[in-house]
Amino acid sequence: RHKFWETQPVGQFRDAADTSLPDGPIEPPTPLSEVRADPYPLPAAFEWLTCDLDDDALLADLYSLLAHNYVEDDENMFRFNYSPAFLRWALKPPSFFRAWHIGVRAKESKKLVAFISGVPARIRARDDVVRMAEINFLCVHKKLRSKRLAPVLIREVTRRVHQENIWQAAYTAGVVLPTPITTCRYWHRSLNPKKLIDVGFSRLGPRMTMSRTVRLYKLPDAPLTPGFRRMELRDVAAVTRLLRAYLARFVVAPDFDEVDVEHWLLPQEDVVDSYLVESPETHEVTDFCSFYTLPSSVLNNANYATLKAAYSYYNVSTKTPLQQLMNDALIVAKQKNYDVFNALDVMENESFLKELKFGPGDGQLHYYLYNYRIRNGIKPSELGLVLL
Ligand code: MYA
Ligand code: JJ1
């Protein structure tokens, strides 16, 4: 059934019942001298292109490939529209490898027709901190689908990750592959219900009018928690301490240091937003919340071209109740003109979703590890990892 995935060191569906297999790497590393030295062959009309994302023209080509060919919802009404600034942020973390930004272009026209990327990360699984690649932005142009190009891209990124002596990876997908470590649900909190209904993202509830719906989702004009403010560079150490202590509670989570926190969590306009609570008395940082900006193109709508969506990222509460903290996150997202605030049911998110009027979406997100077994998988609430 899975001609490609059956050949890969991932949990196979047929092993699901076998509880004797241990947690940890599925196969051992091979000597670097045995890692294939040259790129996998592509069909004759195409060539590999290692992408330089500092090149604005190349970044614009990648943006356009994804804006027209990346992930859509099940009814093809919306398509993710990652901004160029977001792509640069997502693909150039500390110690990134340029060789892991892999394009395929047509030899003749030089048009970019496919892409896959990896970035390095330290990810902890139970008590094992593992160097991994986070694989994302796998995309094949709509006109080249179902020609088995995706397995070539995956093999090539795997080869280039192996060349750095890294043997594990983490990735997410909307489709079921062998074998998810967990399956998460998307939840959505309307901020601009009228627009969401107009574009078909949500529907008017039974026995609801537009004006009752608008009232239902109304939020205060400014955050309510005293000491709630935007994160700044001087907060990196305090946020790192909070986040490390919090993520230690989950079975699978990133192992962030201060360098990572500065990259992944310091606010960048229309890319990532982070807020914290600084105690007005002690000036201690006690709580933290963050979201990233991922608009979606609205396909086939006469009135609107894009939906502005915020996605819940990492949140930590030690003093302010999580529900109150996330209510303030909704308030600042509303102030900044987001149409919807999305969250997965990971970490402790279940504790506020219903109370803050999030509703379940029709999309799921499956999480995977490559060459690392986690027997029986985990629950979404045991997962402390958010991929972009
Ligand atoms: S998830 C986002 C993926 N992108 C999209 O959904 C955008 C829109 N779709 C497309 O661009 C294409 O449909 C794609 C497939 C490119 C997805 N992950 O070439 P094909 C398998 C993994 O004929 P196409 C993200 O970015 C499929 O089961 N495998 O198909 C994370 C089949 O294999 P098998 C997938 O539709 C990516 C084979 O591909 C996915 O033209 C993580 C068919 O190939 C998918 N999302 O192209 C990648 N979709 O026969 C894995 C289909 O066995 C990383 N397939 O069932 C693994 C770790 C690597 C590093 C390891 C380091 C140590
Ligand atoms: O956004 C998603 N679904 C929306 C729109 C559905 C449109 C018709 N299919 C949705 N809306 C309902 C919201 C409503 C608001 C009021 C309260 C009740 C709920 O459900 C879904 C997620 O739910 N998104 C997708 O399907 C996009 C793809 C998701 C898989 C992502 C793969 C990631 C790639 C790896 O990086």
Side-chain angles (χ1 to χ4, degrees):
R1 277 220 31 262
H2 290 287
K3 268 288 160 239
F4 169 66
W5 280 109
E6 278 169 13
T7 69
Q8 298 297 302
V10 293
Q12 297 294 335
F13 293 134
R14 64 184 126 74
D15 298 337
D18 190 340
T19 51
S20 72
L21 298 167
D23 280 5
I26 294 170
E27 60 180 38
T30 51
L32 286 183
S33 59
E34 283 170 31
V35 176
R36 189 188 156 103
D38 5 85
Y40 284 92
L42 281 168
F46 303 103
E47 61 190 15
W48 295 110
L49 171 70
T50 293
C51 297
D52 177 1
L53 301 174
D54 293 328
D55 175 345
D56 288 333
L58 190 282
L59 184 65
D61 289 346
L62 174 59
Y63 166 77
S64 168
L65 172 71
L66 297 177
H68 295 107
N69 301 280
Y70 200 49
V71 176
E72 301 178 6
D73 68 296
D74 61 352
E75 292 169 282
N76 312 104
M77 297 172 68
F78 306 98
R79 190 187 305 123
F80 285 156
N81 184 11
Y82 288 90
S83 71
F86 189 110
L87 292 169
R88 216 170 239 159
W89 171 68
L91 294 176
K92 294 189 65 202
S95 313
F96 77 95
F97 298 101
R98 200 168 82 98
W100 295 6
H101 301 158
I102 308 173
V104 173
R105 60 181 179 178
K107 275 182 185 159
E108 194 159 334
S109 65
K110 303 291 177 196
K111 192 177 132 97
L112 185 67
V113 297
F115 186 78
I116 191 167
S117 67
V119 295
R122 292 180 314 282
I123 294 179
R124 183 180 48 75
R126 305 201 194 278
D127 55 10
D128 191 8
V129 178
V130 184
R131 292 174 72 212
M132 296 199 192
E134 292 176 350
I135 307 298
N136 204 347
F137 306 113
L138 166 62
C139 184
V140 168
H141 193 286
K142 286 183 182 236
K143 294 202 164 140
L144 296 172
R145 297 278 170 88
S146 305
K147 299 176 185 299
R148 311 299 297 184
L149 261 180
V152 184
L153 286 156
I154 294 166
R155 285 197 166 100
E156 181 61 13
V157 75
T158 301
R159 188 183 71 80
R160 296 185 190 198
V161 170
H162 285 168
Q163 286 183 320
E164 301 298 337
N165 199 22
I166 294 176
W167 305 90
Q168 271 73 34
Y171 51 103
T172 56
V175 295
V176 180
L177 306 164
T179 302
I181 59 163
T182 194
T183 294
C184 299
R185 164 87 36 207
Y186 281 98
W187 289 68
H188 308 282
R189 205 302 185 174
S190 302
L191 301 175
N192 187 356
K194 183 167 184 310
K195 175 172 168 185
L196 295 180
I197 290 165
D198 285 350
V199 299
F201 185 91
S202 60
R203 275 193 269 211
L204 211 50
R207 293 173 300 283
M208 285 293 280
T209 62
M210 189 60 82
S211 67
R212 279 190 69 196
T213 305
V214 168
R215 207 165 349 112
L216 175 66
Y217 290 116
K218 260 214 165 334
L219 287 162
D221 290 323
L224 306 177
T225 309
F228 187 92
R229 62 165 176 84
R230 227 164 87 101
M231 179 190 175
E232 299 174 16
L233 185 57
R234 63 184 162 101
D235 301 314
V236 164
V239 168
T240 305
R241 281 194 298 274
L242 264 185
L243 201 53
R244 287 188 65 81
Y246 183 62
L247 293 178
R249 298 205 218 160
F250 302 98
V251 177
V252 173
D255 181 58
F256 282 145
D257 64 16
E258 292 186 9
V259 176
D260 300 316
V261 166
E262 180 174 335
H263 180 82
W264 291 121
L265 294 163
L266 200 62
Q268 287 193 44
E269 179 82 358
D270 293 326
V271 173
V272 60
D273 280 272
S274 298
Y275 292 84
L276 50 75
V277 181
E278 175 180 335
S279 161
E281 296 86 38
T282 65
H283 297 285
E284 208 193 341
V285 177
T286 55
D287 313 277
F288 173 81
C289 62
S290 59
F291 54 86
Y292 60 85
T293 299
L294 169 48
S296 279
S297 302
V298 179
L299 311 177
N300 309 314
N301 186 275
N303 300 321
Y304 297 100
T306 58
L307 264 190
K308 191 174 177 192
Y311 285 75
S312 174
Y313 197 28
Y314 292 98
N315 309 303
V316 184
S317 104
T318 69
K319 186 158 148 271
T320 309
L322 185 58
Q323 186 176 316
Q324 180 183 333
L325 188 68
M326 296 310 294
N327 193 51
D328 282 341
L330 294 175
I331 292 167
V332 295
K334 173 71 195 173
Q335 273 179 330
K336 291 182 165 222
N337 219 23
Y338 290 83
D339 298 311
V340 63
F341 193 104
N342 300 333
L344 294 165
D345 51 1
V346 297
M347 293 182 265
E348 297 182 290
N349 292 356
E350 291 262 57
S351 72
F352 64 77
L353 291 170
K354 288 190 176 139
E355 292 77 359
L356 294 180
K357 301 175 183 163
F358 286 74
D362 60 6
Q364 291 194 331
L365 189 64
H366 309 280
Y367 275 76
Y368 302 92
L369 296 178
Y370 182 94
N371 193 24
Y372 201 97
R373 184 183 299 107
I374 298 212
R375 246 172 329 164
N376 307 320
I378 61 176
K379 293 179 275 193
S381 60
E382 293 176 318
L383 181 67
L385 176 66
V386 178
L387 299 179
L388 304 170

